[in-house]
Amino acid sequence: MPVELVELAAYADENNNIVDAASTSVLRGGKIVFNEFGSSVHIGEGVTLAKCDIILGRNSRLTIGNNCRISGSIIIGYESFISIGNSLNVTSNVSMRAVESTSIEIGDDCLLGSNISIRTTDGHPIYDAVSRQRLNPSQSIAIGSHVWIADDVLLLKGAEVGNATVVGARSVVTKPIPSNCVAVGNPARVVKPGVTWEHSPRHRTEQYYFLQS
């Protein structure tokens, strides 16, 4: 039977499911569901999960760093994992889904807008009707550090986004996007290289700027 938790606190059960969460982190209006066994949730300091549902399958793992703000849903299937770095801020309603032994990895200091979907799977397998070979295997997704992903973006299996990159609203990312650029469209393509971004005009994250010659 699934186990549903509605408070964020240390937890362990006979099925080797565990929650390891800092006392300064909170779950508000959401839940953590262990559907099977051997799964773990590790949450750092100062994390707020607001209206956030976390659902884990067999032998799955979720790690969230410090000072993150997340709302939406996180679904992790069989032997898959999601790793989120420090200081991720989600405006609202992100959807993350990793299944079939894949992963989603997000670096530090990232900003996700509203209604973003990040998924390592198409949802259903597609096969060649003659050879019976699967045509759409699930693939992992990697997002670097200091990445800004705007509203309504879809990141599909195999997507990668480099450090200090901006992905424009309603874009669809299906392949690697390099660091320090602006990418937009369906499929997303680079329209402006050699850039970075800031949370406000008062900030300067110097490591993402280039040295002047």
Side-chain angles (χ1 to χ4, degrees):
M1 293 291 292
V3 175
E4 182 175 311
L5 310 175
V6 295
E7 294 183 355
L8 194 57
Y11 173 82
D13 62 27
E14 65 277 9
N15 292 318
N16 294 320
N17 297 311
I18 66 168
V19 176
D20 175 21
S23 60
T24 54
S25 296
V26 294
L27 174 64
R28 295 173 178 161
K31 59 183 179 292
I32 298 172
V33 179
F34 291 107
N35 277 326
E36 295 189 61
F37 55 82
S39 297
S40 62
V41 176
H42 303 273
I43 298 177
E45 300 279 351
V47 173
T48 299
L49 303 172
K51 297 181 180 179
C52 186
D53 292 336
I54 298 169
I55 302 173
L56 300 104
R58 185 188 311 173
N59 296 332
S60 59
R61 176 167 51 90
L62 171 64
T63 301
I64 300 175
N66 301 325
N67 303 314
C68 294
R69 304 289 183 271
I70 304 172
S71 67
S73 65
I74 298 173
I75 299 173
I76 311 176
Y78 174 73
E79 292 191 350
S80 298
F81 73 90
I82 293 179
S83 175
I84 298 170
N86 298 322
S87 301
L88 171 68
N89 275 283
V90 175
T91 302
S92 67
N93 196 35
V94 67
S95 174
M96 302 183 195
R97 183 181 180 93
V99 300
E100 295 184 306
S101 302
T102 61
S103 64
I104 296 171
E105 298 184 74
I106 301 175
D108 297 332
D109 189 35
C110 289
L111 176 61
L112 304 185
S114 299
N115 305 316
I116 291 169
S117 181
I118 306 170
R119 50 189 299 159
T120 66
T121 175
D122 290 336
H124 301 283
I126 300 172
Y127 296 94
D128 184 293
V130 176
S131 69
R132 299 175 181 261
Q133 181 180 2
R134 185 169 176 180
L135 302 177
N136 66 335
S138 298
Q139 299 177 56
S140 297
I141 292 173
I143 299 170
S145 293
H146 195 62
V147 171
W148 172 18
I149 299 177
D151 293 353
D152 301 309
V153 169
L154 178 60
L155 290 99
L156 297 177
K157 62 184 193 300
E160 297 179 13
V161 181
N163 297 335
T165 279
V166 179
V167 180
R170 299 187 177 180
S171 296
V172 179
V173 183
T174 60
K175 61 183 180 180
I177 301 294
S179 298
N180 290 98
C181 71
V182 176
V184 300
N186 180 7
R189 62 183 180 86
V190 176
V191 295
K192 180 65 176 177
V195 303
T196 186
W197 67 280
E198 300 293 352
H199 291 276
S200 82
R202 298 185 300 277
H203 294 167
R204 283 292 183 272
T205 46
E206 293 293 341
Q207 65 266 40
Y208 301 113
Y209 289 83
F210 303 141
L211 294 176
Q212 294 183 346
S213 57

